């Protein structure tokens, strides 16, 4: 099987993580979600905790004085030359390095934009009805429907701001992706099968 890259954008509670993992299994690819934070931490010299605190957030620091010694591992290879864009660069470098080494499935984190010049790349966006997503988040977070909806809206606003800022595109807009699909219509497993079939046809696998 040829080297392929699958980038999965997703609405909160739409099943993007589960579908991404199934796609990775289906295509014998490595799956990267929060694993990217560990890779980026190793590349940058900053602790993984630091990346987790700022994951998919635009404007990581109010000022450079917020970067303090406890976040550094071994002093940090980048020293004091650190801007609010640096965290994005570290993560971008980790994404490119992983994509060069093997077939991969990347969940979010602007991977579609970062890997726009790579060959055999497919960009997918997973959506679902609000009722479906509220139900999922209510169960996972043990929240009532109202609070689940507010959490979804908050996280998605933050995610969209991050994506739009770093890519110059619009998060969730159809023109930013090769395939957009509503996972609440077919369910997660059947949605994954449909996406996998699309990828096979796209690349002649």
């Amino acid at each position: 099987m040829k080297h392929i890259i699958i980038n999965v954008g997703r609405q909160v509670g739409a099943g993007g993580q589960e579908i991404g993992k199934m796609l990775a299994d289906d295509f014998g690819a490595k799956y990267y979600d929060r694993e990217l934070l560990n890779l980026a931490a190793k590349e940058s010299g900053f602790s993984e905790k630091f990346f987790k605190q700022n994951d998919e957030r635009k404007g990581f620091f109010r000022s450079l004085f917020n970067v303090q010694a406890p976040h550094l591992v071994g002093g940090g290879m980048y020293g004091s030359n650190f801007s609010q864009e640096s965290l994005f660069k570290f993560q971008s470098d980790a994404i490119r390095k992983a994509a060069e080494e093997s077939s991969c499935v990347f969940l979010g984190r602007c991977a579609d934009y970062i890997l726009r010049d790579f060959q055999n790349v497919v960009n997918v966006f997973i959506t679902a009805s609000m009722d479906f997503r509220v139900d999922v988040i209510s169960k996972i977070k043990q929240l009532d429907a109202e609070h689940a909806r507010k959490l979804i809206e908050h996280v998605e606003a933050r995610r969209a701001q991050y994506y739009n800022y770093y890519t110059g595109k619009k998060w969730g807009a159809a023109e930013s992706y090769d395939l957009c699909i509503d996972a609440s219509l077919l369910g997660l497993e059947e949605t994954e099968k449909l996406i996998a079939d699309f990828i096979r046809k796209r690349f002649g696998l």
Side-chain angles (χ1 to χ4, degrees):
M1 187 176 289
K2 67 175 69 175
H3 186 140
I4 63 170
I5 305 298
I6 305 169
N7 299 314
V8 180
R10 74 288 187 211
Q11 288 186 312
V12 175
Q17 184 180 63
E18 294 85 350
I19 291 171
K21 288 179 178 178
M22 286 189 278
L23 286 168
D25 289 340
D26 213 342
F27 289 94
K30 292 185 178 180
Y31 174 79
Y32 291 100
D33 180 5
R34 288 189 176 275
E35 294 83 355
L36 285 170
L37 307 182
N38 180 258
L39 291 176
K42 289 180 179 178
E43 290 292 316
S44 67
F46 282 81
S47 72
E48 185 179 357
K49 180 181 178 181
F50 186 51
F51 282 83
K52 285 182 179 179
Q53 289 172 344
N54 299 287
D55 190 23
E56 289 190 300
R57 288 178 172 87
K58 172 191 164 290
F60 305 115
F61 316 108
R62 292 183 179 177
S63 75
L64 297 184
F65 295 107
N66 290 338
V67 183
Q68 299 175 354
H71 294 302
L72 295 170
V73 177
M77 61 184 289
Y78 290 87
S80 60
N81 186 23
F82 199 94
S83 71
Q84 83 170 21
E85 264 54 44
S86 294
L87 202 59
F88 181 76
K89 182 184 185 303
F90 299 147
Q91 191 164 265
S92 297
D93 289 344
I95 288 171
R96 291 190 192 95
K97 184 175 181 181
E100 288 169 355
E101 293 175 350
S102 65
S103 293
C104 298
V105 174
F106 294 103
L107 190 70
R109 297 173 181 83
C110 303
D112 59 311
Y113 175 77
I114 293 163
L115 302 175
R116 62 194 181 280
D117 296 325
F118 276 60
Q119 298 296 312
N120 299 327
V121 174
V122 62
N123 302 314
V124 179
F125 191 81
I126 311 296
T127 184
S129 69
M130 180 57 83
D131 287 344
F132 178 93
R133 296 186 291 131
V134 165
D135 185 57
V136 168
I137 296 302
S138 292
K139 292 176 181 176
I140 292 175
K141 300 292 187 179
Q142 297 184 328
L143 298 171
D144 60 35
E146 181 182 355
H147 286 89
R149 182 184 292 268
K150 287 181 179 179
L151 177 62
I152 288 170
E153 292 172 348
H154 172 74
V155 174
E156 289 191 347
R158 188 186 73 197
R159 191 175 286 173
Q161 184 184 40
Y162 175 90
Y163 182 89
N164 297 349
Y165 178 79
Y166 285 109
T167 70
K169 300 193 295 178
K170 186 176 181 180
W171 179 80
E175 60 266 27
S176 295
Y177 310 93
D178 302 309
L179 178 67
C180 298
I181 188 165
D182 186 335
S184 62
L185 298 177
L186 299 177
L188 303 191
E189 291 187 4
E190 290 301 316
T191 296
E192 188 277 335
K193 290 178 183 178
L194 191 153
I195 296 171
D197 187 49
F198 171 83
I199 293 171
R200 291 188 181 98
K201 289 180 178 178
R202 169 83 182 273
F203 297 128
L205 300 177

